[in-house]
Amino acid sequence: MQFKVNSFTDFKKRLFSHNIIVYIALVIIFAFFALTLGSTFVSVNNILNITRQTAMISIMAVAMTFVISAGLIDLSIGSTAAMSAMMVSVILRETNSIALALAGGIAVGVVVGLANGLLITKAKIPAFLTTLGMMGIVRGFAMWITNTAAVPILNPNFNFIFGTGNIAGIPVLLYWTVVFGAVGYFMLNKIPFGKHVLATGGNETAARFSGVNTDRIKIAVMVLSGAFAAFAGILYAGRMQAGRFTFGEGDELSVIAAVIIGGTSMAGGTGAIIGAITGSFLMGIINNGLILAGFTVSQQMIIRGAIIILAVAIGSRYSHFKSNKSAESRKAN
Amino acid sequence: MKPILEMKGIDKSFNGIPVLQKIDFSLGEGQVVALVGGNGAGKSTLMKILTGVYARDSGRILLNGKSVNFSSYADANRYGLRMIFQELSLVPTLAVYENIFLNNEIRKGFTLDKNKMIAQTNELLESLGMRFSPNVITAGLDVGYQQMTEIAKALSAKAKILVLDEPTASLSDSEVKVLFETIRNLKTQGVSMVYISHRMNEILEISDQVTILKDGKVVADESAKNLTVADMVSHMLGGSAEKRFAWTPRKNPPTTEDMLVVQELKINGLDTPISFNVKKGEVVGIAGLMGSGRTEILETLFGIRQYTAGKIAVDGEEVKIKNVSDAVNAGIALVPEDRRTQGLVLTHTVKHNAILPVLNRIKSWVMIDEKRADAIVNEKVSELNVKTDSIHKTISLLSGGNQQKVVLGKWLSSEPKILLLDEPTAGIDIGAKGEITDIIRNFADTGNSVIMVSSELVEMMAVCDRIIILCDGKITGEYTRENIADITEEVLQNAIQG
């Protein structure tokens, strides 16, 4: 494709059609903090720290990209992460088997996802309400399982692999982020499943009329979301070397924000995995920068909220621009 | 007659491409002028300029002899111009009277004067010859009555000029009759109308004057009395399309072998079990009014609707069709009635729409073979003559005819044995219609079978080897090729009326 300098609209179209607004925002905000905070922000240590803090959000954002592009929403991921962390820590305490702990943790996510999927497709309850209810139910179980007590994890191998470890100077959490990002990217872009997800979210009737089993796709997407959230819970447990029922509180909103900022449309039918991960990093950088700049927690919340609104507003200006454009071209045809 | 509205020398181009060139158009008081032309002829653009949605490049618009400039649709509304949209602009969850007075509510002090709005709605509906309650929720009305609501809404805002864009596209015949009565009624009240439609017979029936556009120019502007359907078609196409509407003998006539046998099929929603068969290489039409059960039959064969008893056999083997996958596996494909809501994911590209049904067949290991996907789509695009700059273009940017060719292409690449077509040429221009009928015939010439449902009887008579008459969910008759040659559209029309 030729790049034409003389046509600004062309440039704008290219700019936005690749949903690169999130990358531009990342560069600008990174540069801003780098200039104002100097070496406390731009140090290898701090950057790696940001990747540790954002790994769970990134992994859940990968799955949430599938959920939102299928036209659904999942509010139960934060609770699922907490329940999975509790399950893992309890199994480790009882058996000290990493394999069993992993299986138990992931099973939590699969069960929650399956329940969500079946309620959405078979009982026809909207995803928002299904997962809103599930959010409370699962968090309740996470509190119940040990009567709200935290469970320490004393298995150093588990803590190394799923939390605190570094390999070749790079945190294991970053490796996990890359692995799950790659799996998500592959699933969304390279295999039929991804296209079926996008078609289901873009126009469910047309997808069904094309032979796509849209119910099965929706169930699969919710199970994926549950499983990824459960894995995020395992990473929380590893990083904190404990299971706590408070893990992941409010994560669902950070994750949804990251996915939307990353260029996935809330209306369904489009999805950007790398954008979602970048969105997560963007949020991580903002959190980190605001703390280093010495803002109080209340100030951080206000600024973070404003930045999210701004980023989404810029993103949706693009979709406005696109729909105007298409209306005009339709007429011209 | 003194014109109430005149458009003089209207020019408009998009990105340097002229869409309208020196268009003259006029409308008299109480007159119905039909605007005719293929997709891309410029009808919609002209009407968007008239109603202030687009700005013209040059030319003048005169309303009652005075030059006017509309800056927006709302501005045009203030001068009494209203567009009745193809996609209805009503809020489905509101009551009829609430829709009619939306953003124009009558108030008593600070509160809504519900009684007055209902009374005025009643008056309006009565003046249109309608009898339904203003309190009914709009979504519960038939499309025909929703359209009446839309017209009533325009009239409540004192509209003097209405633009009706394809008003009959989704109406049944009896609803069309009601609409036409309303239009005649409005004429006597001095309301002027621009009538846009692809249905030539309706145009001749309802309009006084016909303005025909081709490639952004006016090619004819004549009294409807002096025109025939053939005249209009030849103006629109420059005389190239007649043969497409006449029967031409099949290259490979249908065989005597059965491709599809439907036996005593008990379909949910129809009272009588249905039996018929389709031979290999045969094109069978199902003629019936909207609501006669024609869509139900196709949807059942495609696994969208369930059947409770009876047998379906494809190519000599009995098959159970419980869902779409069963149908696709049996070699059946459906081009649905509404391509925008059922046929396509409008926000996706041509390519992704076209390969959706075959994704699982073009894998190398587990991955989609993108090269093969591109090859398949490119082949279909050129074979079906889809006009698009690229297979990566968003499909909503294509014209209706080209979109429909993509819907056909997406199923042809799944290599079906039986193609079910529900209104395959609805809302597309005559040139594309001809191409689509050619595609249908080529498909049948290679030994495949087609079942076609269409409201355009002339078209069915030109394409089908056999026509089954469906009336209130019952098969009431059949015309074979030899008979079709002897009958006229009128005979067929009467047959489906029952």
Side-chain angles (χ1 to χ4, degrees):
Chain A
M1 246 197 269
Q2 287 287 312
F3 189 77
K4 273 187 269 165
V5 191
N6 57 353
S7 164
F8 182 64
T9 45
D10 245 35
F11 170 68
K12 239 173 31 181
K13 215 157 80 183
R14 283 171 52 86
L15 193 70
F16 289 117
S17 68
H18 296 270
N19 288 318
I20 63 173
I21 205 79
V22 64
Y23 305 102
I24 295 171
L26 185 77
V27 170
I28 291 173
I29 288 172
F30 187 89
F32 176 79
F33 282 133
L35 289 173
T36 52
L37 299 171
S39 59
T40 43
F41 179 76
V42 203
S43 68
V44 174
N45 251 337
N46 190 46
I47 302 296
L48 291 181
N49 208 20
I50 294 173
T51 67
R52 279 190 205 100
Q53 285 158 357
T54 54
M56 299 73 164
I57 299 291
S58 295
I59 287 169
M60 288 190 275
V62 168
M64 187 64 82
T65 304
F66 284 84
V67 173
I68 292 179
S69 48
L72 304 170
I73 197 81
D74 189 350
L75 300 176
S76 63
I77 50 173
S79 304
T80 305
M83 181 65 208
S84 156
M86 293 310 294
M87 184 65 91
V88 166
S89 53
V90 167
I91 294 176
L92 283 173
R93 188 182 64 191
E94 302 300 323
T95 68
N96 208 29
S97 155
I98 293 179
L100 272 182
L102 270 186
I106 299 294
V108 166
V110 171
V111 169
V112 173
L114 197 61
N116 281 332
L118 290 172
L119 286 168
I120 291 166
T121 55
K122 304 301 174 200
K124 312 248 179 260
I125 304 169
F128 186 90
L129 296 173
T130 302
T131 59
L132 184 67
M134 199 57 81
M135 176 166 93
I137 294 172
V138 177
R139 181 77 65 187
F141 273 111
M143 294 165 81
W144 193 19
I145 189 171
T146 62
N147 246 330
T148 72
V151 181
I153 297 174
L154 305 170
N155 184 323
N157 288 336
F158 177 87
N159 291 334
F160 182 90
I161 302 169
F162 298 105
T164 55
N166 287 296
I167 298 172
I170 306 222
V172 285
L173 291 173
L174 184 55
Y175 289 106
W176 285 120
T177 307
V178 172
V179 167
F180 278 80
V183 168
Y185 184 85
F186 181 79
M187 286 176 71
L188 190 65
N189 298 296
K190 299 292 174 191
I191 63 172
F193 173 73
K195 304 295 172 196
H196 289 169
V197 169
L198 293 173
T200 302
N203 182 348
E204 193 184 339
T205 311
R208 206 156 40 87
F209 273 63
S210 301
V212 176
N213 188 335
T214 52
D215 279 0
R216 203 181 292 164
I217 292 290
K218 287 181 184 175
I219 294 170
V221 160
M222 294 312 287
V223 169
L224 185 83
S225 177
F228 274 43
F231 194 82
I234 292 169
L235 298 185
Y236 270 123
R239 181 150 185 262
M240 301 298 177
Q241 308 183 21
R244 284 200 188 91
F245 75 87
T246 51
F247 285 163
E249 254 173 351
D251 276 6
E252 51 281 336
L253 299 183
S254 306
V255 167
I256 292 168
V259 170
I260 302 302
I261 290 171
T264 297
S265 158
M266 202 73 192
T270 63
I273 298 284
I274 297 174
I277 295 175
T278 311
S280 309
F281 273 100
L282 181 62
M283 309 267 292
I285 285 175
I286 294 169
N287 287 340
N288 179 272
L290 292 177
I291 293 168
L292 291 184
F295 286 105
T296 63
V297 175
S298 44
Q299 288 167 330
Q300 288 172 33
M301 287 172 71
I302 295 169
I303 297 171
R304 198 166 50 220
I307 292 175
I308 291 174
I309 292 174
L310 189 72
V312 174
I314 295 170
S316 63
R317 257 184 72 82
Y318 146 65
S319 54
H320 181 67
F321 168 78
K322 188 168 84 173
S323 59
N324 274 351
K325 204 70 195 163
S326 58
E328 199 170 292
S329 323
R330 244 200 319 272
K331 281 308 73 120
N333 278 328
Chain B
M1 196 186 298
K2 194 173 135 296
I4 182 171
L5 169 82
E6 281 177 283
M7 299 177 85
K8 284 185 174 170
I10 302 290
D11 282 313
K12 177 75 183 172
S13 49
F14 287 113
N15 306 322
I17 301 154
V19 179
L20 296 177
Q21 298 173 44
K22 296 267 164 294
I23 300 280
D24 292 330
F25 181 80
S26 78
L27 183 63
E29 189 172 358
Q31 202 185 23
V32 176
V33 176
L35 199 53
V36 179
N39 284 346
K43 296 172 304 205
S44 305
T45 309
L46 185 65
M47 288 302 109
K48 293 250 159 163
I49 288 172
L50 175 62
T51 52
V53 178
Y54 290 159
R56 58 191 182 272
D57 294 344
S58 61
R60 296 200 302 152
I61 300 179
L62 301 173
L63 203 62
N64 293 315
K66 268 186 247 146
S67 181
V68 285
N69 276 309
F70 305 134
S71 57
S72 65
Y73 182 56
D75 197 21
N77 284 178
R78 279 192 283 277
Y79 285 89
L81 270 93
R82 283 275 170 168
M83 186 121 181
I84 308 296
F85 288 98
Q86 226 167 330
E87 291 94 19
L88 300 170
S89 62
L90 301 172
V91 182
T93 50
L94 294 183
V96 166
Y97 83 88
E98 287 172 317
N99 261 309
I100 286 177
F101 287 99
L102 190 61
N103 200 27
N104 192 22
E105 292 85 356
I106 302 176
R107 267 175 289 198
K108 196 163 54 183
F110 285 112
T111 56
L112 293 171
D113 190 344
K114 188 175 164 186
N115 293 335
K116 196 166 175 193
M117 287 193 280
I118 290 178
Q120 289 198 10
T121 305
N122 258 326
E123 268 172 47
L124 274 170
L125 291 176
E126 239 161 72
S127 79
L128 292 172
M130 291 293 113
R131 290 194 190 282
F132 55 90
S133 163
N135 283 309
V136 177
I137 298 298
T138 310
L141 291 173
D142 289 338
V143 187
Y145 291 120
Q146 291 188 11
Q147 201 147 35
M148 292 300 157
T149 307
E150 187 112 3
I151 291 172
K153 182 178 170 183
L155 296 177
S156 83
K158 306 273 177 282
K160 296 300 287 175
I161 298 172
L162 297 182
V163 179
L164 304 162
D165 188 7
E166 290 274 0
T168 59
S170 46
L171 300 191
S172 69
D173 282 19
S174 60
E175 287 173 329
V176 171
K177 274 193 196 117
V178 175
L179 175 71
F180 283 6
E181 256 166 56
T182 308
I183 290 178
R184 292 192 186 102
N185 196 354
L186 289 174
K187 282 173 66 172
T188 62
Q189 298 171 26
V191 177
S192 312
M193 281 160 279
V194 182
Y195 188 94
I196 301 175
S197 178
H198 287 297
R199 302 186 179 185
M200 306 293 166
N201 286 319
E202 285 177 3
I203 287 169
L204 292 183
E205 186 184 339
I206 198 66
S207 55
D208 305 302
Q209 187 79 11
V210 180
T211 302
I212 303 175
L213 296 184
K214 188 189 174 209
D215 300 333
K217 290 179 196 142
V218 175
V219 289
D221 186 3
E222 289 203 44
S223 166
K225 274 180 273 181
N226 305 333
L227 284 169
T228 63
V229 173
D231 291 342
M232 291 200 285
V233 170
S234 86
H235 278 304
M236 271 174 67
L237 297 168
S240 60
E242 270 89 354
K243 67 171 195 302
R244 292 208 157 109
F245 280 93
W247 168 263
T248 46
R250 292 277 307 278
K251 255 186 276 168
N252 301 317
T255 63
T256 52
E257 247 177 293
D258 280 327
M259 176 65 94
L260 174 74
V261 180
V262 174
Q263 257 177 9
E264 295 290 316
L265 203 64
K266 181 80 191 66
I267 293 169
N268 279 352
L270 300 187
D271 295 335
T272 323
I274 297 285
S275 302
F276 64 95
N277 63 359
V278 181
K279 305 285 179 200
K280 285 185 181 170
E282 192 179 33
V283 181
V284 173
I286 299 181
L289 295 170
M290 201 178 261
S292 62
R294 50 187 206 188
T295 299
E296 286 80 355
I297 292 177
L298 295 192
E299 287 185 351
T300 307
L301 290 176
F302 196 57
I304 292 165
R305 195 176 278 268
Q306 305 302 316
Y307 58 97
T308 50
K311 283 182 193 167
I312 301 171
V314 175
D315 210 353
E317 261 176 71
E318 196 186 328
V319 288
K320 289 243 181 303
I321 298 176
K322 289 202 207 75
N323 52 44
V324 176
S325 308
D326 290 345
V328 172
N329 290 336
I332 300 174
L334 169 73
V335 174
E337 192 175 3
D338 187 339
R339 73 179 157 269
R340 277 174 304 204
T341 62
Q342 302 171 326
L344 296 170
V345 183
L346 288 172
T347 52
H348 288 181
T349 60
V350 170
K351 176 186 161 184
H352 286 143
N353 272 289
I355 55 166
L356 187 55
V358 295
L359 276 170
N360 281 317
R361 299 189 209 175
I362 53 168
K363 284 187 293 193
S364 63
W365 186 51
V366 298
M367 283 165 61
I368 300 165
D369 186 342
E370 297 288 346
K371 270 193 196 141
R372 223 175 115 204
D374 284 357
I376 290 173
V377 177
N378 274 319
E379 189 196 311
K380 285 295 167 223
V381 161
S382 68
E383 187 186 320
L384 305 183
N385 195 20
V386 179
K387 288 186 193 73
T388 175
D389 339 325
S390 150
I391 60 170
H392 303 295
K393 192 169 178 172
T394 305
I395 199 148
S396 61
L397 303 180
L398 268 57
S399 70
N402 285 309
Q403 288 180 1
Q404 188 69 337
K405 285 188 223 164
V406 174
V407 180
L408 270 163
K410 89 179 199 186
W411 284 115
L412 292 179
S413 51
S414 79
E415 295 174 350
K417 290 187 264 187
I418 303 169
L419 188 57
L420 312 175
L421 303 165
D422 198 351
E423 298 281 4
T425 62
I428 63 180
D429 70 274
I430 287 189
K433 273 183 190 179
E435 285 179 277
I436 284 172
T437 53
D438 285 350
I439 294 166
I440 297 169
R441 301 188 114 224
N442 287 337
F443 177 76
D445 276 335
T446 53
N448 298 307
S449 305
V450 177
I451 303 177
M452 174 177 173
V453 161
S454 174
S455 300
E456 308 256 347
L457 298 178
V458 189
E459 203 174 280
M460 274 217 280
M461 291 167 71
V463 180
C464 299
D465 301 302
R466 187 155 56 96
I467 296 177
I468 293 171
I469 308 293
L470 192 69
C471 201
D472 287 336
K474 273 189 292 242
I475 292 175
T476 54
E478 184 178 284
Y479 291 95
T480 59
R481 186 67 245 160
E482 298 79 51
N483 303 334
I484 296 173
D486 298 334
I487 60 170
T488 61
E489 191 192 352
E490 245 178 85
V491 175
L492 203 54
Q493 186 62 251
N494 285 326
I496 63 174
Q497 301 289 349

